[in-house]
Amino acid sequence: MHIAERTENGVTVLHPVGRIDSGSTGEFERVLMSAIGDEGTRIVVDMAQLAYISSAGLRSLLVAAKAARAKRGSIVLSAMAPNIREIFDVSGFSSLFQIHADAAVAVAAVGG
């Protein structure tokens, strides 16, 4: 897994590429947590190039989302492939996150 990072209109956009599984979850969570900086941090996780996410990856997202909310920030998700969306739907995580069709819409939704 590789994670590209950029800033667009004050919003941090993370692009994980590949698989978020037991071998890469630690790095994914580290990147998410380091992106949560000051009060009001807004993060978009663009999943356009994500092939798979495990339950450990879902847990990392949940931990980061709680940390962001504690600092009045937010994490939103975008561009999920159907197999990734199914994982979120089956696990109930779809109701825990805003999910948008693409990163541009997600950035606009979080106020960027």
Side-chain angles (χ1 to χ4, degrees):
M1 181 200 60
H2 168 74
I3 302 174
E5 183 176 338
R6 67 183 168 85
T7 303
E8 182 177 324
N9 297 326
V11 177
T12 299
V13 182
L14 302 175
H15 300 273
V17 177
R19 297 173 55 91
I20 299 173
D21 54 24
S22 60
S24 58
T25 297
E27 175 69 8
F28 179 60
E29 187 169 330
R30 186 193 64 72
V31 170
L32 279 170
M33 296 305 285
S34 69
I36 300 167
D38 301 326
E39 292 280 320
T41 298
R42 296 163 297 156
I43 299 169
V44 170
V45 180
D46 181 0
M47 299 184 165
Q49 295 181 315
L50 190 64
Y52 174 79
I53 187 166
S54 70
S55 59
L58 294 175
R59 180 196 159 283
S60 292
L61 277 170
L62 186 59
V63 166
K66 286 181 179 181
R69 273 188 232 123
K71 291 186 174 185
R72 294 188 211 121
S74 62
I75 295 177
V76 300
L77 312 175
S78 69
M80 287 182 181
N83 64 314
I84 302 293
R85 181 60 190 243
E86 183 178 2
I87 292 168
F88 274 77
D89 291 345
V90 168
S91 66
F93 273 60
S94 295
S95 64
L96 302 176
F97 291 91
Q98 288 184 39
I99 302 171
H100 299 280
D102 61 51
V105 173
V107 168
V110 293

